[in-house]
Amino acid sequence: MLDHVTAVRYVTPLREGGSMPGVVEADDLGTYVVKFRGAGQGLKVLVTEVIVGELARRLGLPVPRMVTIDLPPAIARYEADEEVQDLLNASPGTNLGVDLLPGSLGYDGSRPPDPALASRILWLDAFTANVDRTWSNPNLLTWHRETWLIDHGAALYFHHSWPSKAPNPERFAQQAYRADDHVLGGVADDLPAAHAELSARVTPDLVGEVLDQVPEDWLETTTELTDAQAVRTAYCEHLRARLDNPGAWLPGGGS
Ligand SMILES: Nc1ncnc2c1ncn2[C@@H]1O[C@H](COP(=O)(O)OP(=O)(O)O)[C@@H](O)[C@H]1O
Ligand SMILES: [Mg+2]
């Protein structure tokens, strides 16, 4: 499980992002960017943040530490901004906290990662179908001269069809990935090497360990997926099926 902390003070909203994450101080003296369970995008984007972020971390990619963070109701009481107060009131219980990288800058291409790292980031995005790493929305930060990955909520979009359609790993396995607009498209130079290295590391055990990081109460059940374990298994099956079919999604084609 991710470490668990409790918020003690809401500091400020981050209005750059669509979901209005906020900077929050917690009882472990940490400062976190909180992605709220009550934001319009819902719990599924938090699930994806944890799955893709924790997968990235285990593959050696730079991702800020993530925690689960409790928002006591009192936090909202002293908040003057009505929009923020509504968001806080809609988010009691477990939210996602991402370690704040103080002084980090949004990625602008002036200090690109080395081509091997760029290739590994692009591989992760193609594998998890992350459509949200474009020039208009890089979701990369430059911190201590390194490139850090944030915001994976748009990946694994297959789960948005679950309330109405049965899970379909084969369909996800066959979905192409458009890398044309990827912010690192011009830097990544060796997708086949990244694929050979990383795909071998994504074992069933690793995927299972990643899914175990997702808090139970974020996993929404459906008529097919009747408990949290069934939901975890469905994510594992989608990732396994896609991993086995790189020809469909690996930019430049898989082996
Ligand atoms: N860990 C972090 N450290 C510093 N700034 C962050 C961090 N996470 C997010 N931000 C800032 O907040 C913005 C919005 O965060 P993001 O996770 O992309 O949310 P959204 O889902 O709303 O796009 C980012 O573009 C970045 O400027
Ligand atoms: Mg974002």
Side-chain angles (χ1 to χ4, degrees):
M1 285 308 262
L2 299 175
D3 289 341
H4 186 71
V5 302
T6 300
V8 294
R9 190 169 81 95
Y10 181 90
V11 183
T12 187
L14 285 166
R15 295 186 188 272
E16 298 97 327
S19 65
M20 210 163 74
V23 177
V24 168
E25 290 171 353
D27 62 349
D28 63 345
L29 304 183
T31 306
Y32 298 94
V33 172
V34 174
K35 314 222 47 182
F36 295 102
R37 63 184 297 147
Q41 291 80 352
L43 284 169
K44 286 203 170 81
V45 301
L46 303 189
V47 172
T48 312
E49 289 265 17
V50 172
I51 297 174
V52 179
E54 290 301 317
L55 176 65
R57 185 189 321 288
R58 282 162 180 75
L59 296 177
L61 298 173
V63 195
R65 172 173 167 259
M66 290 191 277
V67 297
T68 49
I69 181 163
D70 246 13
L71 279 190
I75 293 279
R77 209 166 297 149
Y78 301 104
E79 180 52 47
D81 183 321
E82 239 177 80
E83 201 184 350
V84 172
Q85 201 176 62
D86 288 348
L87 191 51
L88 294 174
N89 282 327
S91 306
T94 310
N95 295 267
L96 176 67
V98 183
D99 210 11
L100 178 82
L101 306 183
S104 58
L105 298 172
Y107 182 78
D108 64 1
S110 62
R111 201 181 277 280
D114 68 64
L117 176 57
S119 303
R120 288 154 69 222
I121 296 171
L122 182 44
W123 181 86
L124 176 83
D125 290 338
F127 173 46
T128 61
N130 181 16
V131 293
D132 226 358
R133 195 118 52 208
T134 62
W135 278 111
S136 56
N137 210 359
N139 288 316
L140 294 173
L141 298 176
T142 302
W143 189 59
H144 289 275
R145 301 189 178 154
E146 306 281 347
T147 303
W148 290 73
L149 285 66
I150 58 163
D151 190 3
H152 300 104
L156 309 181
Y157 45 73
F158 56 81
H159 58 183
H160 294 292
S161 69
W162 281 355
S164 54
K165 292 196 190 120
N168 189 343
E170 289 315 315
R171 185 154 181 274
F172 182 55
Q174 281 152 27
Q175 253 148 18
Y177 183 74
R178 276 205 47 188
D180 314 15
D181 300 331
H182 196 279
V183 66
L184 299 177
V187 188
D189 68 342
D190 200 346
L191 266 291
H195 177 65
E197 182 210 336
L198 299 179
S199 62
R201 291 170 68 178
V202 183
T203 60
D205 279 356
L206 185 102
V207 173
E209 185 188 310
V210 164
L211 262 300
D212 283 346
Q213 309 301 311
V214 181
E216 180 111 1
D217 72 314
W218 293 359
L219 294 165
E220 295 164 311
T221 56
T222 68
T223 44
E224 272 93 14
L225 305 170
T226 52
D227 60 24
Q229 195 47 44
V231 183
R232 285 186 218 276
T233 301
Y235 281 107
C236 292
E237 285 171 351
H238 281 70
L239 290 170
R240 292 307 307 170
R242 192 162 169 89
L243 194 68
D244 287 344
N245 194 33
W249 52 267
L250 186 65
S255 49

